[in-house]
Amino acid sequence: MAQNTEVVVIGGGYAGVMAANRLTQREDVTVTLINPRPVFVHRIRLHQAVGGSQDMIVDYREVLAKGVRLVVDTAARIDAAEHSVVLAAGGTVGYDYLIYAVGSGSADPGVPGAAEFAYPIASLEEAQRLWSVLDSTPATAAVTVVGAGALGIEAAAELAEAGRTVTLVCGEVLGPYLHPRVRRSIAKRLAKLGVTVLEGPDARVTAVTRDAVRLGGGRELPSGVTVWTAEFSVPDLAVRSGLSTDALGRLLTDETLTSVDDVRIVAAGDSAAPSDLPLRMSCQAAGPLGAHAADTVLSRIAGEQPASIDVGFFGLCVSLGRRAATVQLASKDDTANRFSIRGRLAVKIKESSYKGLLKHLADEARKPGSHTWPFKDDKRRQLLEAKRAEQPATAERAA
């Protein structure tokens, strides 16, 4: 009689659900997904919550394979020695293999007053809290969005389109990922929506109060509601569990996504740091990494050598309200180039990405093992070789 293998996946986001679904292609594998919420959160729609949208809440029955057991709880600690996950509500869940896909969230602002008076929107609960605050705030009140990455740009555009007076505080530059040509195009669209964009060294936030944002150089902006989108962090579960992580707390793995500490632990998504060269936190990387993590586990169960990751990018889709968008194109190694797609086609691409991500998960649930990704990064091997060449030199200098 074949022995059953228990695989636990921590985290029910894009990477975790993809991994859990893919694991069901073997009948002798039992899959348990641990997630703190009973619903799937479509994170790339969170910016739309500022307008009251609920489109980011999806029933797990739409995206999760029927054979996956969902445990609604928070993982408090991983006991690698005992091969178990300690749950916050009490009890443990044992595993033969573990996939660590805890995702990312808001980082500690590290700015006086920001934790008390600013509203992050990196999670469902944070976005819903912000909507409640906005709903009870006069439409004439000034709104300040801090952070000019994709989430900050999208939130600012969404708020401005809803009639709010919005200032986007960039820190240094609008859209650091963007090519300068594409950045100028997005700046024009934001200006058309009425968003005031502040860039440069004096556009760094030094403090947040209940009704204002203070910037470098002594400037103070009136702000009835301050939205914080600057920087992301990962949960500290790996750190608390005594596993090796990078400086941000992502689980350190090899190129097969296997933990450097334990062959039974595999990582995926935003919380993975393969070879200490993590991919950009994004839904683009999450799906392929989740699928690859599952493949690594299935290879080990079969007694085979897992393959190395090969995940590339196509660029970045940025929503600019409900009627405009920009697609920043990039090389497969995620370097933005001067080309972009705008107009109605960009809006269609952005809208199709919302539906497409859910479809990928649903398709994998229905036909596990079917998900593929067309973009491969042919430069990653060169980066790894350069990194390895630097390590001996660094060790010699230290000696």
Side-chain angles (χ1 to χ4, degrees):
M1 184 174 180
Q3 183 178 357
N4 193 69
T5 302
E6 301 280 347
V7 183
V8 170
V9 180
I10 304 178
Y14 300 115
V17 171
M18 179 61 76
N21 289 347
R22 199 172 184 89
L23 288 164
T24 63
Q25 62 190 287
R26 282 190 63 134
E27 294 182 356
D28 59 348
V29 172
T30 299
V31 185
T32 300
L33 178 68
I34 301 173
N35 192 65
R37 304 178 194 86
V39 294
F40 177 83
V41 178
H42 201 4
R43 275 191 71 181
I44 62 170
R45 279 192 179 273
L46 278 178
H47 66 279
Q48 296 178 344
V50 301
S53 172
Q54 296 294 310
D55 289 343
M56 72 292 300
I57 300 174
V58 179
D59 194 309
Y60 267 118
R61 288 176 293 185
E62 296 183 25
V63 295
L64 191 62
K66 292 181 180 179
V68 176
R69 179 171 74 109
L70 177 64
V71 174
V72 181
D73 205 336
T74 299
R77 183 170 58 86
I78 299 167
D79 190 335
E82 295 296 325
H83 300 163
S84 67
V85 179
V86 180
L87 300 176
T92 61
V93 179
Y95 65 83
D96 294 304
Y97 289 94
L98 173 73
I99 293 183
Y100 186 84
V102 297
S104 61
S106 301
D108 181 355
V111 172
E116 294 85 359
F117 303 115
Y119 297 91
I121 53 172
S123 72
L124 175 62
E125 293 76 15
E126 290 171 344
Q128 289 175 330
R129 177 181 174 225
L130 174 60
W131 158 242
S132 178
V133 170
L134 287 166
D135 192 42
S136 61
T137 301
T140 55
V143 177
T144 303
V145 178
V146 180
L151 181 58
I153 292 170
E154 291 182 329
E158 193 82 13
L159 286 162
E161 195 172 72
R164 295 283 180 172
T165 302
V166 182
T167 299
L168 179 59
V169 179
C170 300
E172 285 289 344
V173 65
L174 175 68
Y177 175 86
L178 303 171
H179 185 276
R181 180 183 180 186
V182 181
R183 183 178 299 126
R184 289 192 293 271
S185 172
I186 288 179
K188 288 180 181 178
R189 175 60 187 175
L190 290 173
K192 188 174 181 180
L193 288 169
V195 178
T196 299
V197 176
L198 300 182
E199 300 180 89
D202 288 340
R204 287 187 173 276
V205 177
T206 59
V208 179
T209 65
R210 190 180 302 277
D211 55 10
V213 172
R214 294 173 187 158
L215 305 180
R219 183 177 178 183
E220 185 168 293
L221 302 175
S223 184
V225 179
T226 301
V227 184
W228 197 274
T229 69
E231 298 183 358
F232 290 91
S233 67
V234 298
D236 64 351
L237 176 60
V239 175
R240 287 187 282 111
S241 302
L243 299 170
S244 296
T245 66
D246 69 359
L248 197 63
R250 290 172 288 213
L251 188 70
L252 283 176
T253 75
D254 63 14
E255 285 295 283
T256 72
L257 300 180
T258 303
S259 165
V260 298
D261 301 312
D262 192 325
V263 74
R264 293 182 177 272
I265 299 177
V266 180
D270 291 353
S271 53
S275 303
D276 204 14
L277 287 172
L279 283 71
R280 173 166 57 88
M281 292 183 179
S282 64
C283 59
Q284 262 182 89
L289 288 177
H292 193 99
D295 288 346
T296 291
V297 170
L298 292 172
S299 292
R300 295 200 185 281
I301 292 172
E304 300 169 353
Q305 177 60 37
S308 296
I309 58 170
D310 193 0
V311 178
F313 290 80
F314 71 84
L316 178 69
C317 292
V318 182
S319 172
L320 297 168
R322 301 300 176 93
R323 296 182 293 276
T326 292
V327 180
Q328 163 72 76
L329 300 179
S331 57
K332 294 175 183 178
D333 69 348
D334 205 26
T335 302
N337 58 43
R338 65 193 297 269
F339 300 107
S340 65
I341 301 171
R342 291 176 283 171
R344 292 181 180 179
L345 179 57
V347 174
K348 288 182 179 180
I349 292 173
K350 183 65 175 177
E351 286 297 324
S352 68
S353 73
Y354 294 143
K355 299 175 183 178
L357 282 168
L358 297 182
K359 185 178 185 300
H360 290 327
L361 297 177
D363 287 349
E364 188 69 15
R366 186 179 65 256
K367 189 178 180 181
S370 62
H371 183 64
T372 60
W373 47 101
F375 299 101
K376 313 290 184 180
D377 180 7
D378 52 4
K379 293 185 179 179
R380 184 171 178 85
R381 185 173 297 177
Q382 298 173 24
L383 287 174
L384 289 169
E385 291 174 352
K387 181 179 175 64
R388 289 166 185 151
E390 289 175 0
Q391 288 173 343
T394 302
E396 289 177 10
R397 286 196 298 270

PDB file of all heavy atoms in Angstrom, residues 219-231:
ATOM      1  N   ARG A 219       8.397  71.736   5.088  1.00  0.00           N
ATOM      2  CA  ARG A 219       7.058  71.962   4.530  1.00  0.00           C
ATOM      3  C   ARG A 219       6.028  71.081   5.232  1.00  0.00           C
ATOM      4  O   ARG A 219       6.310  69.942   5.610  1.00  0.00           O
ATOM      5  CB  ARG A 219       7.059  71.661   3.032  1.00  0.00           C
ATOM      6  CG  ARG A 219       5.721  71.947   2.352  1.00  0.00           C
ATOM      7  CD  ARG A 219       5.810  71.712   0.860  1.00  0.00           C
ATOM      8  NE  ARG A 219       4.535  71.940   0.209  1.00  0.00           N
ATOM      9  CZ  ARG A 219       4.308  71.748  -1.082  1.00  0.00           C
ATOM     10  NH1 ARG A 219       5.299  71.325  -1.867  1.00  0.00           N
ATOM     11  NH2 ARG A 219       3.115  71.973  -1.603  1.00  0.00           N
ATOM     12  N   GLU A 220       4.827  71.614   5.412  1.00  0.00           N
ATOM     13  CA  GLU A 220       3.752  70.859   6.040  1.00  0.00           C
ATOM     14  C   GLU A 220       2.516  70.881   5.131  1.00  0.00           C
ATOM     15  O   GLU A 220       2.069  71.953   4.704  1.00  0.00           O
ATOM     16  CB  GLU A 220       3.406  71.439   7.413  1.00  0.00           C
ATOM     17  CG  GLU A 220       2.368  70.616   8.173  1.00  0.00           C
ATOM     18  CD  GLU A 220       2.260  71.026   9.639  1.00  0.00           C
ATOM     19  OE1 GLU A 220       3.238  70.797  10.390  1.00  0.00           O
ATOM     20  OE2 GLU A 220       1.223  71.577  10.004  1.00  0.00           O
ATOM     21  N   LEU A 221       1.977  69.692   4.852  1.00  0.00           N
ATOM     22  CA  LEU A 221       0.793  69.571   4.003  1.00  0.00           C
ATOM     23  C   LEU A 221      -0.431  69.268   4.853  1.00  0.00           C
ATOM     24  O   LEU A 221      -0.413  68.312   5.643  1.00  0.00           O
ATOM     25  CB  LEU A 221       0.965  68.414   3.003  1.00  0.00           C
ATOM     26  CG  LEU A 221       2.145  68.430   2.046  1.00  0.00           C
ATOM     27  CD1 LEU A 221       2.168  67.124   1.247  1.00  0.00           C
ATOM     28  CD2 LEU A 221       2.050  69.619   1.108  1.00  0.00           C
ATOM     29  N   PRO A 222      -1.515  70.036   4.721  1.00  0.00           N
ATOM     30  CA  PRO A 222      -2.762  69.661   5.386  1.00  0.00           C
ATOM     31  C   PRO A 222      -3.230  68.320   4.825  1.00  0.00           C
ATOM     32  O   PRO A 222      -3.168  68.079   3.617  1.00  0.00           O
ATOM     33  CB  PRO A 222      -3.727  70.785   4.999  1.00  0.00           C
ATOM     34  CG  PRO A 222      -2.856  71.923   4.569  1.00  0.00           C
ATOM     35  CD  PRO A 222      -1.638  71.301   3.966  1.00  0.00           C
ATOM     36  N   SER A 223      -3.673  67.435   5.700  1.00  0.00           N
ATOM     37  CA  SER A 223      -4.086  66.106   5.243  1.00  0.00           C
ATOM     38  C   SER A 223      -5.182  65.566   6.149  1.00  0.00           C
ATOM     39  O   SER A 223      -4.929  65.182   7.289  1.00  0.00           O
ATOM     40  CB  SER A 223      -2.883  65.148   5.224  1.00  0.00           C
ATOM     41  OG  SER A 223      -3.245  63.889   4.709  1.00  0.00           O
ATOM     42  N   GLY A 224      -6.400  65.546   5.614  1.00  0.00           N
ATOM     43  CA  GLY A 224      -7.507  64.982   6.390  1.00  0.00           C
ATOM     44  C   GLY A 224      -7.396  63.483   6.523  1.00  0.00           C
ATOM     45  O   GLY A 224      -7.754  62.890   7.552  1.00  0.00           O
ATOM     46  N   VAL A 225      -6.877  62.810   5.472  1.00  0.00           N
ATOM     47  CA  VAL A 225      -6.630  61.365   5.483  1.00  0.00           C
ATOM     48  C   VAL A 225      -5.280  61.124   4.817  1.00  0.00           C
ATOM     49  O   VAL A 225      -5.031  61.598   3.705  1.00  0.00           O
ATOM     50  CB  VAL A 225      -7.725  60.584   4.724  1.00  0.00           C
ATOM     51  CG1 VAL A 225      -7.403  59.088   4.738  1.00  0.00           C
ATOM     52  CG2 VAL A 225      -9.099  60.836   5.333  1.00  0.00           C
ATOM     53  N   THR A 226      -4.407  60.401   5.502  1.00  0.00           N
ATOM     54  CA  THR A 226      -3.100  60.059   4.950  1.00  0.00           C
ATOM     55  C   THR A 226      -3.046  58.570   4.663  1.00  0.00           C
ATOM     56  O   THR A 226      -3.270  57.749   5.557  1.00  0.00           O
ATOM     57  CB  THR A 226      -1.968  60.442   5.923  1.00  0.00           C
ATOM     58  OG1 THR A 226      -2.030  61.854   6.181  1.00  0.00           O
ATOM     59  CG2 THR A 226      -0.606  60.100   5.340  1.00  0.00           C
ATOM     60  N   VAL A 227      -2.763  58.230   3.417  1.00  0.00           N
ATOM     61  CA  VAL A 227      -2.691  56.835   2.977  1.00  0.00           C
ATOM     62  C   VAL A 227      -1.226  56.448   2.818  1.00  0.00           C
ATOM     63  O   VAL A 227      -0.470  57.147   2.142  1.00  0.00           O
ATOM     64  CB  VAL A 227      -3.428  56.643   1.637  1.00  0.00           C
ATOM     65  CG1 VAL A 227      -3.431  55.161   1.234  1.00  0.00           C
ATOM     66  CG2 VAL A 227      -4.855  57.175   1.723  1.00  0.00           C
ATOM     67  N   TRP A 228      -0.821  55.325   3.426  1.00  0.00           N
ATOM     68  CA  TRP A 228       0.595  54.935   3.427  1.00  0.00           C
ATOM     69  C   TRP A 228       0.791  53.706   2.551  1.00  0.00           C
ATOM     70  O   TRP A 228       0.299  52.628   2.849  1.00  0.00           O
ATOM     71  CB  TRP A 228       1.059  54.644   4.849  1.00  0.00           C
ATOM     72  CG  TRP A 228       2.561  54.652   4.966  1.00  0.00           C
ATOM     73  CD1 TRP A 228       3.423  53.637   4.731  1.00  0.00           C
ATOM     74  CD2 TRP A 228       3.367  55.777   5.330  1.00  0.00           C
ATOM     75  NE1 TRP A 228       4.718  54.041   4.920  1.00  0.00           N
ATOM     76  CE2 TRP A 228       4.718  55.352   5.297  1.00  0.00           C
ATOM     77  CE3 TRP A 228       3.080  57.099   5.689  1.00  0.00           C
ATOM     78  CZ2 TRP A 228       5.778  56.196   5.609  1.00  0.00           C
ATOM     79  CZ3 TRP A 228       4.136  57.946   5.996  1.00  0.00           C
ATOM     80  CH2 TRP A 228       5.470  57.491   5.951  1.00  0.00           C
ATOM     81  N   THR A 229       1.531  53.868   1.447  1.00  0.00           N
ATOM     82  CA  THR A 229       1.785  52.746   0.540  1.00  0.00           C
ATOM     83  C   THR A 229       3.277  52.499   0.346  1.00  0.00           C
ATOM     84  O   THR A 229       3.669  51.704  -0.507  1.00  0.00           O
ATOM     85  CB  THR A 229       1.146  53.002  -0.841  1.00  0.00           C
ATOM     86  OG1 THR A 229       1.842  54.061  -1.504  1.00  0.00           O
ATOM     87  CG2 THR A 229      -0.328  53.362  -0.706  1.00  0.00           C
ATOM     88  N   ALA A 230       4.102  53.190   1.112  1.00  0.00           N
ATOM     89  CA  ALA A 230       5.554  53.084   0.942  1.00  0.00           C
ATOM     90  C   ALA A 230       6.079  51.802   1.566  1.00  0.00           C
ATOM     91  O   ALA A 230       5.826  51.532   2.746  1.00  0.00           O
ATOM     92  CB  ALA A 230       6.239  54.294   1.580  1.00  0.00           C
ATOM     93  N   GLU A 231       6.753  51.011   0.788  1.00  0.00           N
ATOM     94  CA  GLU A 231       7.495  49.825   1.226  1.00  0.00           C
ATOM     95  C   GLU A 231       6.566  48.692   1.683  1.00  0.00           C
ATOM     96  O   GLU A 231       5.462  48.906   2.162  1.00  0.00           O
ATOM     97  CB  GLU A 231       8.489  50.164   2.335  1.00  0.00           C
ATOM     98  CG  GLU A 231       9.555  51.154   1.914  1.00  0.00           C
ATOM     99  CD  GLU A 231      10.556  51.413   3.023  1.00  0.00           C
ATOM    100  OE1 GLU A 231      10.404  50.858   4.121  1.00  0.00           O
ATOM    101  OE2 GLU A 231      11.502  52.175   2.773  1.00  0.00           O
TER     102      GLU A 231
END
